[in-house]
Amino acid sequence: AQTVTQSQPEMSVQEAETVTLSCTYDTSESDYYLFWYKQPPSRQMILVIRQEAYKQQNATENRFSVNFQKAAKSFSLKISDSQLGDAAMYFCAYRRAQDFGNEKLTFGTGTRLTIIP
Amino acid sequence: DSGVTQTPKHLITATGQRVTLRCSPRSGDLSVYWYQQSLDQGLQFLIQYYNGEERAKGNILERFSAQQFPDLHSELNLSSLELGDSALYFCASNAGGGVGEQYFGPGTRLTVT
């Protein structure tokens, strides 16, 4: 079974600085997708960024970028120029690429990010 | 706004009772997923429906059941409720296949007293 591990329950960063959240996963599959979701105090789950395992290039979305190390099964999220609105729980998630129609997400336990003004 | 709606937003009920949570997927989406998030934990996959048929099951309790109707909305039924069933229940949807990006509803917070 696939597992996702987030070893940092809490992180904090000064506003405008850069922070990196860690995620590791375990899978025997070679083709899969990885995601970072943000959950602000409103509890809404918001997709931040996704990465296809077959792509070597790291995904980037504005101030958010990932460092995807397939051999190490590592998928970290870097937030640049941190803003107060970035304060939230961040969840790393995994999904197999096979099994059309069976696309369950496996989530890590989350990292609570605090932004210090 | 993800386009996925869930009702009710909050639900308070007593142990032993039965409740129904409702989810309407985004327009055109055929797949619906249900997840449970207990206090300050990650989301646990419960069940998936695709175009009216059950497609995948996670660690869903026998006391829980779900279905997807012809208009593609879905309901999650929770019965013989226990205190430990208190949680946020999320519904997500997508078109099925492809990159697998799922769009989440706002969730239903269930409190069992």
Side-chain angles (χ1 to χ4, degrees), chain A residues 33 35 37 39 41-47 50-52 89 91 95-97 99-110 112, chain B residues 2 31 33 35 37 39-45 48 50 55-57 88 90 94 96-106 109:
Chain A
Y33 302 102
F35 306 87
Y37 279 88
Q39 187 179 42
S42 67
R43 297 292 187 173
Q44 178 72 48
M45 294 292 289
I46 302 165
L47 179 65
R50 66 171 182 258
Q51 174 79 43
E52 289 91 328
M89 281 288 283
F91 292 98
R95 194 220 117 190
R96 293 173 63 181
D99 296 333
F100 170 80
N102 177 0
E103 301 167 30
K104 69 171 186 178
L105 291 168
T106 300
F107 286 87
T109 52
R112 184 178 302 280
Chain B
S2 67
S31 269
Y33 309 78
Y35 294 88
Q37 184 181 29
L39 184 63
D40 287 335
Q41 294 190 11
L43 281 71
Q44 299 293 321
F45 170 71
Q48 177 200 359
Y50 178 77
R55 187 60 66 107
K57 245 180 180 179
L88 259 174
F90 284 102
N94 67 5
V99 76
E101 182 173 328
Q102 295 180 19
Y103 296 88
F104 282 79
R109 180 174 292 283

Short mmCIF file of all heavy atoms in Angstrom, two decimals, chain A residues 33 35 37 39 41-47 50-52 89 91 95-97 99-110 112, chain B residues 2 31 33 35 37 39-45 48 50 55-57 88 90 94 96-106 109:
data_model
loop_
_atom_site.label_atom_id
_atom_site.label_comp_id
_atom_site.label_asym_id
_atom_site.label_seq_id
_atom_site.Cartn_x
_atom_site.Cartn_y
_atom_site.Cartn_z
N TYR A 33 0.95 10.41 -9.61
CA TYR A 33 0.85 11.85 -9.49
C TYR A 33 1.01 12.24 -8.02
O TYR A 33 0.60 11.51 -7.12
CB TYR A 33 -0.52 12.35 -9.98
CG TYR A 33 -0.81 11.98 -11.41
CD1 TYR A 33 -1.67 10.92 -11.72
CD2 TYR A 33 -0.24 12.68 -12.47
CE1 TYR A 33 -1.93 10.59 -13.02
CE2 TYR A 33 -0.51 12.34 -13.78
CZ TYR A 33 -1.36 11.29 -14.06
OH TYR A 33 -1.60 10.94 -15.35
N PHE A 35 0.56 15.67 -5.29
CA PHE A 35 -0.16 16.93 -5.13
C PHE A 35 0.20 17.57 -3.78
O PHE A 35 0.51 16.88 -2.82
CB PHE A 35 -1.68 16.70 -5.15
CG PHE A 35 -2.19 15.97 -6.35
CD1 PHE A 35 -2.22 14.58 -6.38
CD2 PHE A 35 -2.68 16.66 -7.45
CE1 PHE A 35 -2.70 13.89 -7.48
CE2 PHE A 35 -3.17 15.97 -8.56
CZ PHE A 35 -3.18 14.60 -8.57
N TYR A 37 -1.99 20.11 -1.31
CA TYR A 37 -3.24 20.79 -1.04
C TYR A 37 -3.05 21.71 0.16
O TYR A 37 -2.35 21.40 1.11
CB TYR A 37 -4.36 19.79 -0.74
CG TYR A 37 -4.99 19.15 -1.94
CD1 TYR A 37 -4.46 17.98 -2.49
CD2 TYR A 37 -6.13 19.70 -2.53
CE1 TYR A 37 -5.04 17.38 -3.60
CE2 TYR A 37 -6.72 19.10 -3.64
CZ TYR A 37 -6.17 17.95 -4.16
OH TYR A 37 -6.75 17.37 -5.26
N GLN A 39 -5.13 23.77 3.20
CA GLN A 39 -6.39 23.84 3.94
C GLN A 39 -6.33 25.00 4.92
O GLN A 39 -5.79 24.87 6.01
CB GLN A 39 -6.68 22.53 4.67
CG GLN A 39 -8.07 22.49 5.30
CD GLN A 39 -8.38 21.18 6.01
OE1 GLN A 39 -7.55 20.61 6.70
NE2 GLN A 39 -9.60 20.69 5.81
N PRO A 41 -8.00 28.04 7.49
CA PRO A 41 -8.95 27.89 8.60
C PRO A 41 -10.39 27.64 8.15
O PRO A 41 -11.18 27.07 8.89
CB PRO A 41 -8.82 29.22 9.35
CG PRO A 41 -7.41 29.61 9.10
CD PRO A 41 -7.13 29.20 7.68
N SER A 42 -10.73 28.05 6.97
CA SER A 42 -12.08 27.79 6.45
C SER A 42 -12.33 26.31 6.20
O SER A 42 -13.47 25.89 5.99
CB SER A 42 -12.29 28.54 5.13
OG SER A 42 -11.45 28.00 4.12
N ARG A 43 -11.24 25.51 6.20
CA ARG A 43 -11.31 24.05 6.01
C ARG A 43 -11.47 23.62 4.55
O ARG A 43 -11.51 22.45 4.26
CB ARG A 43 -12.41 23.41 6.86
CG ARG A 43 -12.19 23.56 8.35
CD ARG A 43 -11.01 22.76 8.80
NE ARG A 43 -10.86 22.75 10.25
CZ ARG A 43 -9.99 22.02 10.90
NH1 ARG A 43 -9.17 21.23 10.23
NH2 ARG A 43 -9.92 22.06 12.21
N GLN A 44 -11.60 24.57 3.65
CA GLN A 44 -11.69 24.23 2.23
C GLN A 44 -10.38 23.61 1.78
O GLN A 44 -9.31 24.07 2.17
CB GLN A 44 -11.97 25.49 1.41
CG GLN A 44 -12.04 25.29 -0.08
CD GLN A 44 -13.29 24.55 -0.54
OE1 GLN A 44 -14.39 24.89 -0.13
NE2 GLN A 44 -13.11 23.55 -1.38
N MET A 45 -10.44 22.58 0.98
CA MET A 45 -9.24 21.94 0.41
C MET A 45 -8.96 22.58 -0.94
O MET A 45 -9.78 22.51 -1.85
CB MET A 45 -9.45 20.44 0.24
CG MET A 45 -9.59 19.70 1.56
SD MET A 45 -8.08 19.68 2.52
CE MET A 45 -7.07 18.58 1.54
N ILE A 46 -7.78 23.18 -1.07
CA ILE A 46 -7.43 23.92 -2.27
C ILE A 46 -6.17 23.31 -2.88
O ILE A 46 -5.15 23.18 -2.20
CB ILE A 46 -7.16 25.40 -1.93
CG1 ILE A 46 -8.40 26.02 -1.26
CG2 ILE A 46 -6.78 26.19 -3.18
CD1 ILE A 46 -8.11 27.35 -0.58
N LEU A 47 -6.25 22.95 -4.14
CA LEU A 47 -5.08 22.41 -4.82
C LEU A 47 -4.06 23.51 -5.06
O LEU A 47 -4.38 24.55 -5.63
CB LEU A 47 -5.49 21.78 -6.15
CG LEU A 47 -4.35 21.19 -6.98
CD1 LEU A 47 -3.73 20.01 -6.26
CD2 LEU A 47 -4.84 20.77 -8.36
N ARG A 50 0.62 20.34 -8.65
CA ARG A 50 0.66 18.91 -8.91
C ARG A 50 1.89 18.59 -9.75
O ARG A 50 2.42 19.44 -10.46
CB ARG A 50 -0.60 18.45 -9.64
CG ARG A 50 -0.75 19.00 -11.03
CD ARG A 50 -1.90 18.33 -11.77
NE ARG A 50 -2.00 18.83 -13.13
CZ ARG A 50 -2.89 19.72 -13.51
NH1 ARG A 50 -3.75 20.22 -12.65
NH2 ARG A 50 -2.94 20.11 -14.76
N GLN A 51 2.30 17.32 -9.66
CA GLN A 51 3.49 16.86 -10.36
C GLN A 51 3.22 15.47 -10.93
O GLN A 51 2.75 14.59 -10.20
CB GLN A 51 4.68 16.78 -9.39
CG GLN A 51 5.94 16.19 -9.96
CD GLN A 51 6.72 17.17 -10.82
OE1 GLN A 51 6.87 18.33 -10.48
NE2 GLN A 51 7.23 16.69 -11.94
N GLU A 52 3.48 15.30 -12.21
CA GLU A 52 3.39 13.98 -12.81
C GLU A 52 4.74 13.29 -12.67
O GLU A 52 5.77 13.90 -12.98
CB GLU A 52 3.02 14.08 -14.29
CG GLU A 52 1.60 14.52 -14.55
CD GLU A 52 1.46 16.04 -14.69
OE1 GLU A 52 2.23 16.77 -14.04
OE2 GLU A 52 0.59 16.48 -15.43
N MET A 89 -2.94 24.62 6.85
CA MET A 89 -2.41 23.25 6.86
C MET A 89 -2.11 22.89 5.41
O MET A 89 -2.90 23.19 4.51
CB MET A 89 -3.43 22.28 7.42
CG MET A 89 -3.54 22.26 8.92
SD MET A 89 -2.12 21.49 9.71
CE MET A 89 -2.50 19.76 9.43
N PHE A 91 -1.19 19.68 2.93
CA PHE A 91 -1.21 18.23 2.82
C PHE A 91 -0.56 17.80 1.51
O PHE A 91 -0.87 18.33 0.44
CB PHE A 91 -2.64 17.70 2.85
CG PHE A 91 -3.33 17.85 4.17
CD1 PHE A 91 -4.19 18.91 4.40
CD2 PHE A 91 -3.12 16.93 5.19
CE1 PHE A 91 -4.83 19.06 5.62
CE2 PHE A 91 -3.75 17.06 6.40
CZ PHE A 91 -4.61 18.14 6.62
N ARG A 95 -1.37 9.78 -5.84
CA ARG A 95 -2.39 9.04 -6.57
C ARG A 95 -1.74 8.17 -7.63
O ARG A 95 -0.86 8.64 -8.36
CB ARG A 95 -3.35 10.02 -7.24
CG ARG A 95 -4.64 9.42 -7.75
CD ARG A 95 -5.03 10.00 -9.08
NE ARG A 95 -5.03 8.97 -10.10
CZ ARG A 95 -5.14 9.20 -11.40
NH1 ARG A 95 -5.24 10.43 -11.85
NH2 ARG A 95 -5.16 8.21 -12.25
N ARG A 96 -2.13 6.94 -7.74
CA ARG A 96 -1.62 6.09 -8.80
C ARG A 96 -2.08 6.61 -10.15
O ARG A 96 -3.17 7.18 -10.26
CB ARG A 96 -2.14 4.66 -8.63
CG ARG A 96 -1.60 3.94 -7.43
CD ARG A 96 -2.28 2.61 -7.24
NE ARG A 96 -2.02 1.72 -8.38
CZ ARG A 96 -2.51 0.50 -8.48
NH1 ARG A 96 -3.31 0.03 -7.53
NH2 ARG A 96 -2.24 -0.26 -9.51
N ALA A 97 -1.28 6.37 -11.16
CA ALA A 97 -1.66 6.80 -12.50
C ALA A 97 -2.49 5.75 -13.22
O ALA A 97 -3.18 6.06 -14.19
CB ALA A 97 -0.42 7.13 -13.33
N ASP A 99 -5.37 2.43 -13.31
CA ASP A 99 -6.74 2.22 -12.81
C ASP A 99 -7.64 3.40 -13.11
O ASP A 99 -8.08 4.09 -12.21
CB ASP A 99 -6.74 1.95 -11.30
CG ASP A 99 -6.02 0.66 -10.95
OD1 ASP A 99 -5.98 -0.24 -11.81
OD2 ASP A 99 -5.49 0.59 -9.84
N PHE A 100 -7.88 3.59 -14.38
CA PHE A 100 -8.82 4.63 -14.76
C PHE A 100 -10.11 4.46 -13.97
O PHE A 100 -10.67 3.40 -13.88
CB PHE A 100 -9.13 4.53 -16.26
CG PHE A 100 -10.26 5.40 -16.68
CD1 PHE A 100 -10.06 6.76 -16.88
CD2 PHE A 100 -11.53 4.89 -16.86
CE1 PHE A 100 -11.10 7.58 -17.27
CE2 PHE A 100 -12.58 5.70 -17.24
CZ PHE A 100 -12.37 7.04 -17.45
N GLY A 101 -10.57 5.53 -13.41
CA GLY A 101 -11.79 5.50 -12.63
C GLY A 101 -11.55 5.25 -11.16
O GLY A 101 -12.42 5.48 -10.35
N ASN A 102 -10.37 4.75 -10.80
CA ASN A 102 -10.03 4.55 -9.38
C ASN A 102 -8.92 5.52 -9.07
O ASN A 102 -7.75 5.22 -9.31
CB ASN A 102 -9.61 3.11 -9.14
CG ASN A 102 -9.17 2.89 -7.70
OD1 ASN A 102 -9.20 3.82 -6.89
ND2 ASN A 102 -8.75 1.70 -7.38
N GLU A 103 -9.27 6.66 -8.57
CA GLU A 103 -8.28 7.73 -8.44
C GLU A 103 -8.20 8.25 -7.02
O GLU A 103 -8.05 9.45 -6.80
CB GLU A 103 -8.64 8.86 -9.39
CG GLU A 103 -8.69 8.42 -10.84
CD GLU A 103 -9.36 9.47 -11.70
OE1 GLU A 103 -9.27 10.67 -11.39
OE2 GLU A 103 -9.99 9.08 -12.69
N LYS A 104 -8.30 7.37 -6.07
CA LYS A 104 -8.29 7.84 -4.69
C LYS A 104 -6.98 8.54 -4.38
O LYS A 104 -5.91 8.17 -4.88
CB LYS A 104 -8.49 6.68 -3.71
CG LYS A 104 -7.32 5.73 -3.65
CD LYS A 104 -7.50 4.74 -2.51
CE LYS A 104 -6.25 3.88 -2.35
NZ LYS A 104 -6.38 2.95 -1.21
N LEU A 105 -7.05 9.54 -3.55
CA LEU A 105 -5.87 10.23 -3.07
C LEU A 105 -5.48 9.67 -1.71
O LEU A 105 -6.33 9.45 -0.85
CB LEU A 105 -6.16 11.73 -2.93
CG LEU A 105 -6.37 12.50 -4.24
CD1 LEU A 105 -6.93 13.88 -3.95
CD2 LEU A 105 -5.07 12.60 -5.00
N THR A 106 -4.18 9.47 -1.53
CA THR A 106 -3.63 9.08 -0.23
C THR A 106 -2.92 10.31 0.33
O THR A 106 -1.99 10.83 -0.30
CB THR A 106 -2.66 7.91 -0.36
OG1 THR A 106 -3.36 6.78 -0.92
CG2 THR A 106 -2.10 7.52 1.01
N PHE A 107 -3.34 10.75 1.50
CA PHE A 107 -2.84 11.99 2.08
C PHE A 107 -1.83 11.72 3.20
O PHE A 107 -1.92 10.72 3.91
CB PHE A 107 -3.98 12.81 2.67
CG PHE A 107 -4.85 13.49 1.66
CD1 PHE A 107 -5.93 12.83 1.10
CD2 PHE A 107 -4.60 14.79 1.27
CE1 PHE A 107 -6.74 13.45 0.16
CE2 PHE A 107 -5.40 15.43 0.34
CZ PHE A 107 -6.47 14.76 -0.21
N GLY A 108 -0.91 12.68 3.36
CA GLY A 108 -0.08 12.71 4.55
C GLY A 108 -0.86 13.34 5.70
O GLY A 108 -2.02 13.74 5.53
N THR A 109 -0.21 13.44 6.85
CA THR A 109 -0.89 13.95 8.04
C THR A 109 -0.88 15.47 8.13
O THR A 109 -1.51 16.04 9.02
CB THR A 109 -0.26 13.38 9.31
OG1 THR A 109 1.16 13.59 9.24
CG2 THR A 109 -0.54 11.89 9.43
N GLY A 110 -0.16 16.12 7.24
CA GLY A 110 -0.23 17.57 7.16
C GLY A 110 0.88 18.30 7.92
O GLY A 110 1.45 17.78 8.88
N ARG A 112 1.30 22.20 9.57
CA ARG A 112 0.65 23.48 9.86
C ARG A 112 1.68 24.60 9.70
O ARG A 112 2.69 24.63 10.41
CB ARG A 112 0.08 23.51 11.27
CG ARG A 112 -0.70 24.79 11.58
CD ARG A 112 -1.29 24.77 12.98
NE ARG A 112 -2.18 23.61 13.18
CZ ARG A 112 -3.44 23.55 12.75
NH1 ARG A 112 -3.97 24.58 12.10
NH2 ARG A 112 -4.16 22.48 12.98
N SER B 2 -15.18 25.84 -5.76
CA SER B 2 -14.76 24.70 -6.58
C SER B 2 -15.85 24.22 -7.52
O SER B 2 -15.58 23.48 -8.47
CB SER B 2 -14.35 23.54 -5.67
OG SER B 2 -15.48 23.04 -4.96
N SER B 31 -17.16 11.37 -11.60
CA SER B 31 -16.63 10.70 -10.41
C SER B 31 -16.88 11.52 -9.15
O SER B 31 -16.66 12.74 -9.15
CB SER B 31 -15.12 10.48 -10.55
OG SER B 31 -14.83 9.23 -11.12
N TYR B 33 -15.99 11.33 -4.91
CA TYR B 33 -15.20 10.70 -3.87
C TYR B 33 -15.65 11.23 -2.52
O TYR B 33 -15.96 12.41 -2.39
CB TYR B 33 -13.71 11.04 -4.03
CG TYR B 33 -13.15 10.80 -5.41
CD1 TYR B 33 -13.39 11.69 -6.44
CD2 TYR B 33 -12.37 9.68 -5.67
CE1 TYR B 33 -12.88 11.48 -7.71
CE2 TYR B 33 -11.85 9.47 -6.93
CZ TYR B 33 -12.11 10.36 -7.94
OH TYR B 33 -11.60 10.15 -9.19
N TYR B 35 -14.34 11.55 1.51
CA TYR B 35 -13.21 11.47 2.43
C TYR B 35 -13.66 11.88 3.82
O TYR B 35 -14.56 12.71 3.98
CB TYR B 35 -12.08 12.42 2.00
CG TYR B 35 -11.41 12.07 0.69
CD1 TYR B 35 -11.91 12.55 -0.52
CD2 TYR B 35 -10.26 11.28 0.67
CE1 TYR B 35 -11.28 12.24 -1.72
CE2 TYR B 35 -9.63 10.96 -0.53
CZ TYR B 35 -10.15 11.44 -1.70
OH TYR B 35 -9.52 11.13 -2.89
N GLN B 37 -12.19 13.42 7.47
CA GLN B 37 -11.07 14.06 8.16
C GLN B 37 -11.40 14.20 9.64
O GLN B 37 -12.21 15.05 10.02
CB GLN B 37 -10.74 15.43 7.57
CG GLN B 37 -9.52 16.08 8.20
CD GLN B 37 -9.20 17.44 7.64
OE1 GLN B 37 -10.08 18.17 7.19
NE2 GLN B 37 -7.92 17.81 7.64
N LEU B 39 -10.30 15.03 13.63
CA LEU B 39 -9.70 16.25 14.16
C LEU B 39 -8.21 16.33 13.87
O LEU B 39 -7.44 15.48 14.29
CB LEU B 39 -9.95 16.32 15.67
CG LEU B 39 -9.47 17.59 16.36
CD1 LEU B 39 -10.22 18.80 15.82
CD2 LEU B 39 -9.64 17.48 17.86
N ASP B 40 -7.83 17.39 13.15
CA ASP B 40 -6.42 17.69 12.89
C ASP B 40 -5.66 16.50 12.31
O ASP B 40 -4.49 16.28 12.62
CB ASP B 40 -5.72 18.17 14.17
CG ASP B 40 -6.16 19.58 14.52
OD1 ASP B 40 -6.57 20.31 13.60
OD2 ASP B 40 -6.08 19.95 15.70
N GLN B 41 -6.32 15.74 11.48
CA GLN B 41 -5.64 14.63 10.81
C GLN B 41 -5.79 14.78 9.32
O GLN B 41 -6.51 15.65 8.81
CB GLN B 41 -6.23 13.30 11.28
CG GLN B 41 -5.98 13.01 12.75
CD GLN B 41 -6.36 11.59 13.11
OE1 GLN B 41 -6.62 10.74 12.26
NE2 GLN B 41 -6.37 11.30 14.40
N GLY B 42 -5.09 13.92 8.60
CA GLY B 42 -5.21 13.92 7.16
C GLY B 42 -6.53 13.32 6.72
O GLY B 42 -7.29 12.79 7.52
N LEU B 43 -6.80 13.44 5.46
CA LEU B 43 -8.04 12.91 4.91
C LEU B 43 -7.89 11.44 4.60
O LEU B 43 -6.88 11.00 4.04
CB LEU B 43 -8.42 13.67 3.63
CG LEU B 43 -9.07 15.04 3.81
CD1 LEU B 43 -8.10 16.07 4.32
CD2 LEU B 43 -9.69 15.49 2.49
N GLN B 44 -8.93 10.68 4.96
CA GLN B 44 -8.97 9.25 4.69
C GLN B 44 -10.02 8.99 3.63
O GLN B 44 -11.18 9.41 3.78
CB GLN B 44 -9.29 8.47 5.97
CG GLN B 44 -8.28 8.65 7.08
CD GLN B 44 -6.94 8.05 6.76
OE1 GLN B 44 -6.85 6.98 6.15
NE2 GLN B 44 -5.87 8.72 7.16
N PHE B 45 -9.64 8.26 2.61
CA PHE B 45 -10.56 7.93 1.52
C PHE B 45 -11.59 6.92 2.01
O PHE B 45 -11.26 5.91 2.63
CB PHE B 45 -9.75 7.36 0.35
CG PHE B 45 -10.58 6.75 -0.74
CD1 PHE B 45 -11.35 7.56 -1.58
CD2 PHE B 45 -10.61 5.39 -0.93
CE1 PHE B 45 -12.11 7.00 -2.59
CE2 PHE B 45 -11.36 4.82 -1.93
CZ PHE B 45 -12.12 5.63 -2.76
N GLN B 48 -15.53 5.73 -3.69
CA GLN B 48 -15.65 6.45 -4.94
C GLN B 48 -16.77 5.87 -5.78
O GLN B 48 -16.93 4.65 -5.86
CB GLN B 48 -14.35 6.37 -5.75
CG GLN B 48 -14.44 7.06 -7.11
CD GLN B 48 -13.39 6.60 -8.11
OE1 GLN B 48 -12.55 5.76 -7.80
NE2 GLN B 48 -13.41 7.15 -9.31
N TYR B 50 -18.40 6.23 -9.79
CA TYR B 50 -18.18 6.73 -11.15
C TYR B 50 -19.43 6.44 -11.97
O TYR B 50 -19.78 5.27 -12.20
CB TYR B 50 -16.94 6.08 -11.78
CG TYR B 50 -16.68 6.51 -13.19
CD1 TYR B 50 -16.11 7.75 -13.46
CD2 TYR B 50 -17.03 5.70 -14.26
CE1 TYR B 50 -15.87 8.16 -14.75
CE2 TYR B 50 -16.81 6.10 -15.57
CZ TYR B 50 -16.22 7.34 -15.81
OH TYR B 50 -16.00 7.74 -17.09
N ARG B 55 -16.81 2.40 -7.55
CA ARG B 55 -15.58 2.11 -8.28
C ARG B 55 -14.44 1.69 -7.35
O ARG B 55 -13.60 0.90 -7.72
CB ARG B 55 -15.15 3.34 -9.09
CG ARG B 55 -13.97 3.09 -9.99
CD ARG B 55 -14.26 1.99 -11.01
NE ARG B 55 -15.27 2.38 -11.95
CZ ARG B 55 -15.03 2.69 -13.21
NH1 ARG B 55 -13.80 2.69 -13.65
NH2 ARG B 55 -16.02 3.00 -14.02
N ALA B 56 -14.40 2.26 -6.18
CA ALA B 56 -13.33 1.92 -5.25
C ALA B 56 -13.80 2.15 -3.82
O ALA B 56 -14.62 3.03 -3.56
CB ALA B 56 -12.08 2.76 -5.52
N LYS B 57 -13.26 1.33 -2.93
CA LYS B 57 -13.62 1.43 -1.52
C LYS B 57 -12.37 1.55 -0.69
O LYS B 57 -11.38 0.86 -0.94
CB LYS B 57 -14.37 0.18 -1.09
CG LYS B 57 -15.80 0.38 -0.68
CD LYS B 57 -16.44 -0.93 -0.26
CE LYS B 57 -17.88 -0.70 0.14
NZ LYS B 57 -18.56 -1.95 0.53
N LEU B 88 -15.00 15.91 9.81
CA LEU B 88 -15.35 16.62 8.59
C LEU B 88 -15.46 15.60 7.47
O LEU B 88 -14.54 14.78 7.29
CB LEU B 88 -14.27 17.63 8.23
CG LEU B 88 -14.46 19.09 8.55
CD1 LEU B 88 -13.20 19.87 8.22
CD2 LEU B 88 -15.64 19.69 7.80
N PHE B 90 -15.69 15.23 3.49
CA PHE B 90 -15.53 15.95 2.24
C PHE B 90 -16.00 15.09 1.07
O PHE B 90 -15.80 13.88 1.04
CB PHE B 90 -14.06 16.29 1.99
CG PHE B 90 -13.54 17.42 2.82
CD1 PHE B 90 -12.77 17.18 3.95
CD2 PHE B 90 -13.81 18.74 2.47
CE1 PHE B 90 -12.28 18.23 4.71
CE2 PHE B 90 -13.32 19.79 3.22
CZ PHE B 90 -12.56 19.53 4.35
N ASN B 94 -14.32 14.78 -10.02
CA ASN B 94 -13.57 15.07 -11.23
C ASN B 94 -14.20 14.32 -12.38
O ASN B 94 -15.16 13.57 -12.21
CB ASN B 94 -12.07 14.78 -11.08
CG ASN B 94 -11.76 13.30 -10.92
OD1 ASN B 94 -12.64 12.44 -11.01
ND2 ASN B 94 -10.48 13.02 -10.70
N GLY B 96 -12.93 12.01 -14.11
CA GLY B 96 -12.51 10.61 -14.20
C GLY B 96 -11.41 10.47 -15.22
O GLY B 96 -11.49 11.03 -16.31
N GLY B 97 -10.34 9.76 -14.86
CA GLY B 97 -9.22 9.58 -15.77
C GLY B 97 -8.36 10.82 -15.82
O GLY B 97 -8.52 11.75 -15.05
N GLY B 98 -7.38 10.85 -16.72
CA GLY B 98 -6.52 12.02 -16.86
C GLY B 98 -5.62 12.22 -15.68
O GLY B 98 -5.14 11.27 -15.08
N VAL B 99 -5.41 13.44 -15.31
CA VAL B 99 -4.43 13.73 -14.28
C VAL B 99 -4.96 13.46 -12.89
O VAL B 99 -4.22 13.37 -11.94
CB VAL B 99 -3.98 15.21 -14.39
CG1 VAL B 99 -5.07 16.13 -13.84
CG2 VAL B 99 -2.68 15.43 -13.67
N GLY B 100 -6.25 13.31 -12.77
CA GLY B 100 -6.80 12.95 -11.47
C GLY B 100 -6.97 14.08 -10.50
O GLY B 100 -7.11 13.86 -9.31
N GLU B 101 -6.93 15.31 -11.01
CA GLU B 101 -7.14 16.44 -10.12
C GLU B 101 -8.55 16.41 -9.59
O GLU B 101 -9.51 16.33 -10.35
CB GLU B 101 -6.88 17.73 -10.89
CG GLU B 101 -7.03 18.99 -10.06
CD GLU B 101 -6.60 20.21 -10.86
OE1 GLU B 101 -5.68 20.07 -11.70
OE2 GLU B 101 -7.17 21.29 -10.66
N GLN B 102 -8.69 16.45 -8.28
CA GLN B 102 -9.99 16.39 -7.64
C GLN B 102 -10.34 17.75 -7.06
O GLN B 102 -9.51 18.42 -6.45
CB GLN B 102 -10.00 15.33 -6.54
CG GLN B 102 -9.81 13.93 -7.08
CD GLN B 102 -9.83 12.87 -6.01
OE1 GLN B 102 -10.30 13.08 -4.89
NE2 GLN B 102 -9.32 11.69 -6.35
N TYR B 103 -11.57 18.13 -7.22
CA TYR B 103 -12.09 19.39 -6.71
C TYR B 103 -12.96 19.10 -5.50
O TYR B 103 -13.90 18.31 -5.59
CB TYR B 103 -12.88 20.13 -7.79
CG TYR B 103 -12.01 20.52 -8.96
CD1 TYR B 103 -11.79 19.65 -10.02
CD2 TYR B 103 -11.36 21.76 -8.99
CE1 TYR B 103 -10.96 20.00 -11.07
CE2 TYR B 103 -10.55 22.12 -10.04
CZ TYR B 103 -10.34 21.24 -11.08
OH TYR B 103 -9.52 21.58 -12.12
N PHE B 104 -12.62 19.74 -4.39
CA PHE B 104 -13.28 19.44 -3.13
C PHE B 104 -14.41 20.40 -2.82
O PHE B 104 -14.33 21.60 -3.07
CB PHE B 104 -12.26 19.50 -1.98
CG PHE B 104 -11.39 18.28 -1.91
CD1 PHE B 104 -10.32 18.13 -2.77
CD2 PHE B 104 -11.65 17.28 -0.99
CE1 PHE B 104 -9.51 16.99 -2.71
CE2 PHE B 104 -10.86 16.15 -0.92
CZ PHE B 104 -9.79 16.02 -1.78
N GLY B 105 -15.46 19.85 -2.23
CA GLY B 105 -16.52 20.67 -1.68
C GLY B 105 -16.09 21.26 -0.34
O GLY B 105 -15.01 20.96 0.16
N PRO B 106 -16.94 22.09 0.25
CA PRO B 106 -16.60 22.77 1.50
C PRO B 106 -16.65 21.86 2.73
O PRO B 106 -16.21 22.25 3.80
CB PRO B 106 -17.65 23.87 1.60
CG PRO B 106 -18.81 23.34 0.85
CD PRO B 106 -18.24 22.53 -0.27
N ARG B 109 -19.46 19.25 8.52
CA ARG B 109 -18.92 18.95 9.85
C ARG B 109 -19.98 18.22 10.64
O ARG B 109 -21.05 18.77 10.94
CB ARG B 109 -18.50 20.22 10.57
CG ARG B 109 -17.94 19.93 11.97
CD ARG B 109 -17.38 21.16 12.65
NE ARG B 109 -16.18 21.66 12.01
CZ ARG B 109 -14.98 21.12 12.14
NH1 ARG B 109 -14.81 20.05 12.89
NH2 ARG B 109 -13.94 21.65 11.55
#
